[in-house]
Structure formats: structure tokens, C-alpha cells
Amino acid sequence: MLSIKKITKLLLTCAAVLAIILFCLNQPSVFDYIFTYNWRYIVALSGLYCIFYILNAYILFFLIHPYGKNITFIKVLGVNQLSSFVNYLLPFRVASVGIKIFLLKRLFGVSTGTTIGTFTLSAFLFSTICMCALLYSLSFLQLPPKYLINFSEATYLVVSIIIVFIFLLIIENRFQLLGSIYLPQIILDLKKSILSINKRTLFLICLLYIMQVLITSYITYVLFLGANYSISFLLCIFITSVGNISGILALTPANIGIKEISYVGVGALFGVPADIIIALLLLDRVIQASLLTIGLPFFSYLNVEK
């Protein structure tokens, strides 16, 4: 039996797909953008996504390296690609995360609690970097005042939560407040994986996330270039950061529908037509799905060989 939460996600996925189909049928220009897209940029986008996947794998590699055995970059890359592929098929984040947890434990002996802890730290760092990128780009963009007030309030709220979270981590690391409380082993592994990362590794991970945000923003920029649409790179950073933050919700496969709404909503503030955004996101999804599908047998072979 499916839980109410899973049924809700399935319904949201179906609604998102149906909404995109209806939008495309009512806006024939979406297909015009797709069919007239410059194929040379598709080659460039494929290369950029390969760089993105490598950066993503290196982040996971640095996160789990202190806790596992016989860890190789190729195997970590294969685990990442498989979980990303599953995320494109199923509207349940637990499915892709569950596969990653299973493979990391089977291949490297990384405990479930440690894996969950690294994912928690990873999501926190990524959200922080995206918020910084969003604020940086926003400071240079002319956002209408009526939107700026509400958006700023929400931004300050999120930043405040992040600051409080960091403060609590520092206090716990300094005074070991949880030391006198009995906790299950999975919680102890979770605590250890978040608090015991050294400064050098933390710096490398943050640097990789900054590079990842820049790469994904540049991918957005190149997507628009291929459609012969002129757009500011700063605006691409802003749009991409909002899309990345919305992806944390993980309500649908590959964030379908949620990502489109966030991109179209932000684009509308700056006069970017919704039809070109939907067209480019559809093209973007096809490129990613193709790369992940092609890569699965390759990484499976390498994982067996290594």
C-alpha cells in the first residue's frame, strides 16, 4: 500500500506532466524553439553536464572518504549516476537516496547513519552556496520593489535559520551537549559525519559547490544562447539558484513541474517569455536523461572491473 505522502507525490507528478503537455499544446512556439535549436550548443551542453557530473561525484567522494573502505572516484561516480537516473524515473526521493545508501554500504562499508549525515551536510552546504549566489546576483539585478520586499523577507528568514543551525553545531562541537544523552547508533553516526569533517575537506566541498553553481548557471546561459535569446549571465545565476533551492523539495521525478514553475516565475519578473523557458527545460531534460542512460552500462562495466 502506498502512503498518503507517496500518493500525493504521484498525483503532483501526473498534474505537472499534464500541465506541461497542455502548455505546449496551447503554445506551439515551444516546439518551434526546440526544432530550430542550434545543435552545436547541444554538444557544448553535453560537455558541460559531464563536468557537472564529475564535480558532483567529487563532492560525494570527499564527503564519504573518511568513513569507507576501498573508495575509488570511478565507483562513486557510478553510484551518483545510478541514483540520478532513478531520480528521473521515480517521484520518491527515498528511492534514489535508498539506492545510494545501499550501494555506499555494500561497496565501501559506509553505515546508513553516516550516509544520511553526509547527505544532510551536503544539502545544507549546497543550499547555503545557492543562497549566497542568489543574493549576489540579486544585488546587481533591478527587481521591482513590490517583489523585492517579500523576497528579501524570505531570504533573511532562510539566512537566519542557517546562522542558527551553524551556531548550534558550534555549541555542540564545543561543549558536547549530546554526550550525556543515550542515542541509537544511527544517530551517533549521523552526528559524527556532520561534526567530524575537517576544515580542508569542508573548504574543498564548498569550492566544488561554488564551481557547480557556476557550471549550472552557465548551462542555463548556453541553453538560451542556443535558442538565439539574449540574456544576462547574472540573471542566469539568479534563475538557476532559485531552481536549485526549489529542487530540495524533491516532490516529483527530477523536480519536474516544480523547476518549471520556479524558472517561469523568476523569468516573468524580468520579461523572459514562458514558452522559451519551457522549451529549453524540456530540451535540458532530454539531454540529461540521454547522458544518464548512455552512461549507466559504461559505469557498470567500470565498477565491475575496478
Side-chain angles (χ1 to χ4, degrees), residues 23-34:
F23 181 87
C24 293
L25 292 176
N26 290 325
Q27 298 287 337
S29 55
V30 171
F31 299 104
D32 293 336
Y33 282 119
I34 294 175

Side-chain angles (χ1 to χ4, degrees), residues 121-140:
L121 178 62
S122 175
F124 169 72
L125 292 176
F126 184 61
S127 301
T128 303
I129 297 297
C130 286
M131 285 301 304
C132 291
L134 189 151
L135 291 171
Y136 171 79
S137 58
L138 181 61
S139 65
F140 290 95

Side-chain angles (χ1 to χ4, degrees), residues 12 16-17 20 252-263 285:
L12 283 174
V17 173
I20 292 173
T252 57
N255 209 29
I256 188 170
I258 309 298
K259 185 176 182 179
E260 279 75 7
I261 290 174
S262 62
Y263 271 54
R285 292 186 183 281

Side-chain angles (χ1 to χ4, degrees), residues 77-208:
L77 182 59
V79 169
N80 240 14
Q81 295 303 94
L82 178 59
S83 63
S84 297
F85 179 79
V86 172
N87 187 45
Y88 256 79
L89 300 178
L90 298 176
F92 313 124
R93 184 63 173 267
V94 68
S96 60
V97 172
I99 287 179
K100 192 174 287 187
I101 290 174
F102 170 76
L103 291 175
L104 291 179
K105 187 172 184 178
R106 180 178 179 182
L107 294 174
F108 313 125
V110 181
S111 68
T112 301
T114 298
T115 303
I116 296 174
T118 58
F119 289 171
T120 303
L121 178 62
S122 175
F124 169 72
L125 292 176
F126 184 61
S127 301
T128 303
I129 297 297
C130 286
M131 285 301 304
C132 291
L134 189 151
L135 291 171
Y136 171 79
S137 58
L138 181 61
S139 65
F140 290 95
L141 295 172
Q142 299 298 319
L143 198 64
K146 62 178 180 179
Y147 296 111
L148 184 59
I149 296 173
N150 294 332
F151 183 81
S152 297
E153 290 175 353
T155 299
Y156 292 142
L157 176 62
V158 173
V159 172
S160 299
I161 293 173
I162 290 173
I163 292 173
V164 170
F165 183 72
I166 293 174
F167 176 75
L168 291 176
L169 283 178
I170 293 173
I171 293 297
E172 162 57 20
N173 200 30
R174 175 67 177 84
F175 297 103
Q176 301 294 314
L177 299 178
L178 297 179
S180 59
I181 303 175
Y182 171 76
L183 296 172
Q185 186 61 43
I186 187 172
I187 302 298
L188 293 174
D189 289 338
L190 177 65
K191 173 180 172 291
K192 178 183 176 182
S193 63
I194 293 179
L195 297 179
S196 64
I197 236 173
N198 60 59
K199 293 180 181 179
R200 179 178 177 274
T201 301
L202 192 62
F203 174 77
L204 286 173
I205 292 171
C206 289
L207 182 61
L208 287 169

Side-chain angles (χ1 to χ4, degrees), residues 218-233:
Y218 191 65
I219 286 173
T220 303
Y221 185 66
V222 173
L223 276 168
F224 279 102
L225 286 181
N228 199 28
Y229 187 90
S230 179
I231 190 171
S232 166
F233 181 62

